[in-house]
């Protein structure tokens, strides 16, 4: 029903992240950006994940 709605995928990503499934979260945020390349939720969350990954490597 909401499969083409960017906000749906962005919020689904947040729910996946809260459950600790970051692979699914990232996939959902990337889907959101396919439908709306400027989706604020998806952009912010992906940037946060990137930052966390960088900080974890150092």
């Amino acid at each position: 029903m909401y499969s083409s709605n960017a906000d749906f995928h962005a919020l689904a990503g947040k729910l996946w992240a809260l459950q600790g499934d970051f692979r699914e979260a990232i996939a959902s945020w990337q889907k959101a950006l396919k439908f709306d390349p400027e989706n604020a939720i998806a952009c912010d969350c992906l940037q946060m994940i990137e930052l966390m990954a960088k900080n974890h490597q150092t």
Side-chain angles (χ1 to χ4, degrees), residues 18-58:
L18 287 170
Q19 292 178 23
D21 193 338
F22 294 101
R23 262 180 224 235
E24 287 293 335
I26 291 167
S28 291
W29 294 324
Q30 289 171 337
K31 279 183 193 174
L33 292 178
K34 284 183 184 177
F35 294 110
D36 176 9
E38 296 181 18
N39 183 282
I41 296 169
C43 287
D44 290 348
C45 290
L46 284 171
Q47 286 178 348
M48 182 180 61
I49 289 291
E50 250 181 69
L51 185 62
M52 289 171 59
K54 279 184 182 179
N55 288 337
H56 184 68
Q57 290 174 355
T58 58

